[in-house]
Amino acid sequence: MKTPLSALMVQGTTSDAGKSVLVAGLCRVLQRKGIKVAPFKPQNMALNSAVTKDGGEIGRAQAVQALAACVEPSVHMNPVLLKPNSDMGAQVILQGKAIENMQAAGYQNYKKIAMPTVMDSFERLTNDYDSVMIEGAGSPAEINLRENDIANMGFAEEADVPVIIIADIDRGGVFAHLYGTLALLSQSEQDRVRGFVINRFRGDISLLESGLDWLEEKTGKPVIGVLPYLHGFDLEAEDAITANQNLDDQHVVNVVVPVFTRISNHTDFDALRLNPSINLRYVGKGERIDNADVVILPGSKSVRSDLDYLRSQGWDKDLQRHLRYGGKVIGICGGYQMLGSLIHDPSGVEGAPGSSEGLGLLNIETTLTNEKALLNSKGTIEIEGKSATVEGYEIHVGVSTVSEKQPINLTHGKSDGAISECNQILGTYLHGLFDNTDALELIFDWAGVKVKGESHQARKEEAINRIADAIEEHMKLDLLWPELVINGNTN
């Protein structure tokens, strides 16, 4: 018989209210108390993903939450992953494996078919762990999405788990968000809500207390905690690009990343964005690629479509100018494929069947295939006679024929990437390349500057511990788990 710690679901009033971070923090709090805990998200829609040890694909947020719980990521932590490949459709991934592309309207009906898969994964976790911390998606009050819901209250009702609702006060309107969200739930759904959490508060808490009293009186639900705004806090974003940069005046190199319509795994650039020596700038629609020492083309879920978008923005001309002035260009995954001569999609894997002319900057040719490469990789990268250890992951469709020097040798016996004869252009399928401090330093040495790498893993650990500390200090965890002891005393 499971204890009352066995499951808790965090739902939010909006996207980016803090659900992912709160689940990560709760996982670390329970782990600190010796409780074997796992994260779980029934359905995730994100283009940031991670590869599990057994070669499955899950949302990147669940991999970070697994890190917080100090457990190995599993496909059962995110049994349904949707990766948008157009405004109306997405690739559907069940328990780590892509099954098909589906339009939004069709998926609404498919959700009832996916529910048994969701429940299978959840039951596996509840059997293997003492506790499961569950993350909802978006908001439970989306009236148009409630039928066959598997992401929020539909799952909570099916699994019979308690719920807390989090809202971001930094956005404004926090009381309306919380009161209105609860009001739009059915009576049985309201009954399973244990209380509220207010996130990212800054200022004098006494000025908030009258509002907290009003909310508790009107809803009959307690405010379980008010979490402070954590300045300088940074944990991998689930999907939205984190544009805030290190404002330290130590920059020695300017890096520009163009934002594609279907940019994927932009967490590749967190290690650059947070490095005090690097000025990382994202450029979007209508902006120029300029004032750069290094330009990095990111991954894409729709490579040929985003290649067309790149050209529509004039970024191909910007790249040519950048190279004429001696700049360096790096392509990762889809960006690597774009650097080649041709991209073929004979089966229509990512859109209409056909071929697209690449940028012609690397002598490679890519054919998109139905089978997706999903693996964690280790090896060494060698540039100009110097080498460094690399570790990352591959998530891509397509096989590339390379007629260039390949700078990365992987431990599973394959080579990866390409470096141009002119020594200005580098491509790789390896995500997470810059998380390796030695590799980061080697690549920027190739770019002509000295950059000191900083441990991205240590930075993530620091962020997880900061949110866990804030939860222990500012949340009334005894309202959730009366038997849980915090700091030697029951809350």
Side-chain angles (χ1 to χ4, degrees):
M1 184 73 153
K2 292 288 183 180
T3 71
L5 285 172
S6 60
L8 175 71
M9 188 170 195
V10 177
Q11 298 181 10
T13 57
T14 62
S15 294
D16 201 32
K19 298 184 294 293
S20 297
V21 170
L22 181 55
V23 167
L26 288 170
C27 283
R28 179 54 57 90
V29 167
L30 295 181
Q31 185 274 332
R32 287 173 174 177
K33 308 312 290 182
I35 296 164
K36 188 181 179 185
V37 58
F40 180 71
K41 185 161 185 169
Q43 174 189 290
N44 197 348
M45 179 177 282
L47 286 174
N48 283 338
S49 55
V51 180
T52 62
K53 190 175 182 179
D54 57 357
E57 188 174 4
I58 61 173
R60 189 133 197 93
Q62 281 61 68
V64 173
Q65 291 160 355
L67 175 67
C70 299
V71 297
E72 188 72 39
S74 160
V75 296
H76 298 297
M77 294 173 182
N78 178 207
V80 179
L81 174 62
L82 307 178
K83 301 190 78 173
N85 50 23
S86 71
D87 289 343
M88 298 294 291
Q91 183 182 61
V92 180
I93 297 166
L94 292 185
Q95 289 181 336
K97 300 301 180 185
I99 57 163
E100 62 180 303
N101 293 321
M102 198 171 292
Q103 295 299 103
Y107 181 71
Q108 284 298 98
N109 294 321
Y110 184 79
K111 287 192 291 187
K112 57 189 174 186
I113 300 174
M115 180 62 95
T117 300
V118 168
M119 293 307 299
D120 173 67
S121 289
F122 178 65
E123 288 167 9
R124 288 171 186 255
L125 293 182
T126 56
N127 288 333
D128 292 342
Y129 292 87
D130 300 323
S131 179
V132 180
M133 293 296 101
I134 309 159
E135 180 189 344
S139 164
E142 303 290 353
I143 303 302
N144 56 312
L145 299 178
R146 287 176 61 88
E147 187 176 1
N148 301 325
D149 171 52
I150 64 174
N152 289 300
M153 282 298 180
F155 169 79
E157 295 269 83
E158 182 73 16
D160 191 22
V161 295
V163 172
I164 59 175
I165 300 176
I166 185 171
D168 180 5
I169 196 171
D170 203 47
R171 293 176 174 222
V174 70
F175 296 113
H177 283 170
L178 289 168
Y179 182 83
T181 297
L182 187 71
L184 288 170
L185 303 179
S186 70
Q187 187 58 55
S188 64
E189 292 167 348
Q190 290 183 21
D191 289 345
R192 70 178 58 256
V193 175
R194 292 283 187 87
F196 305 121
V197 175
I198 292 175
N199 193 25
R200 300 189 182 113
F201 175 75
R202 41 183 151 190
D204 186 344
I205 190 69
S206 66
L207 299 178
L208 190 65
E209 287 173 352
S210 61
L212 303 181
D213 292 342
W214 177 91
L215 184 65
E216 292 185 342
E217 180 184 351
K218 289 292 184 181
T219 64
K221 307 289 184 182
V223 175
I224 296 170
V226 178
L227 297 176
Y229 189 102
L230 299 179
H231 293 275
F233 178 83
D234 199 284
L235 194 59
E236 290 183 358
E238 182 171 62
D239 207 31
I241 292 175
T242 305
N244 61 295
Q245 296 164 288
N246 192 316
L247 299 179
D248 205 315
D249 200 21
Q250 303 175 38
H251 299 145
V252 297
V253 61
N254 294 310
V255 177
V256 170
V257 177
V259 179
F260 302 144
T261 58
R262 300 293 167 210
I263 184 173
S264 63
N265 292 80
H266 57 72
T267 49
D268 284 339
F269 310 115
D270 285 353
L272 306 183
R273 178 174 55 84
L274 297 169
N275 191 298
S277 297
I278 299 171
N279 176 32
L280 180 90
R281 179 167 61 95
Y282 290 105
V283 299
K285 186 176 182 179
E287 297 180 297
R288 295 264 60 81
I289 295 176
D290 56 12
N291 299 320
D293 301 299
V294 179
V295 177
I296 306 177
L297 301 187
S300 166
K301 187 66 187 70
S302 300
V303 178
R304 292 172 61 217
S305 174
D306 273 341
L307 181 57
D308 290 340
Y309 179 75
L310 180 152
R311 288 189 167 110
S312 76
Q313 297 301 306
W315 291 339
D316 54 336
K317 297 180 177 62
D318 290 347
L319 286 173
Q320 292 288 355
R321 184 182 64 250
H322 171 74
L323 289 168
R324 285 198 304 272
Y325 291 156
K328 302 286 189 177
V329 174
I330 300 172
I332 297 177
C333 199
Y336 171 39
Q337 294 173 342
M338 292 179 192
L339 292 173
S341 56
L342 287 167
I343 302 172
H344 307 288
D345 189 359
S347 302
V349 174
E350 290 190 348
S355 297
S356 296
E357 186 177 342
L359 296 171
L361 299 177
L362 284 174
N363 191 8
I364 71 169
E365 188 170 323
T366 300
T367 300
L368 304 185
T369 59
N370 286 303
E371 187 172 349
K372 182 184 288 191
L374 292 166
L375 65 158
N376 294 298
S377 300
K378 296 181 180 180
T380 58
I381 180 170
E382 183 175 335
I383 304 177
E384 298 176 328
K386 301 175 183 178
S387 64
T389 300
V390 293
E391 184 173 352
Y393 57 100
E394 296 179 45
I395 301 177
H396 61 89
V397 293
V399 176
S400 296
T401 302
V402 182
S403 300
E404 302 272 18
K405 180 180 178 181
Q406 294 196 272
I408 299 176
N409 295 309
L410 300 171
T411 53
H412 52 64
K414 293 184 179 180
S415 297
D416 174 69
I419 190 163
S420 65
E421 190 174 340
C422 69
N423 200 37
Q424 287 182 261
I425 303 147
L426 172 69
T428 178
Y429 274 120
L430 205 60
H431 292 288
L433 179 68
F434 302 115
D435 292 358
N436 305 273
T437 57
D438 291 346
L440 184 149
E441 291 174 1
L442 175 61
I443 290 168
F444 280 94
D445 185 59
W446 167 73
V449 291
K450 296 295 182 184
V451 170
K452 181 174 175 54
E454 298 183 354
S455 173
H456 190 56
Q457 189 76 3
R459 189 180 286 117
K460 284 193 287 188
E461 278 289 333
E462 179 187 11
I464 290 168
N465 283 323
R466 284 187 71 192
I467 190 62
D469 290 345
I471 288 169
E472 291 195 12
E473 182 178 353
H474 297 282
M475 282 181 63
K476 303 168 186 173
L477 294 176
D478 61 309
L479 297 181
L480 300 174
W481 306 301
E483 71 279 30
L484 185 64
V485 177
I486 303 295
N487 295 329
N489 298 292
T490 302
N491 264 20

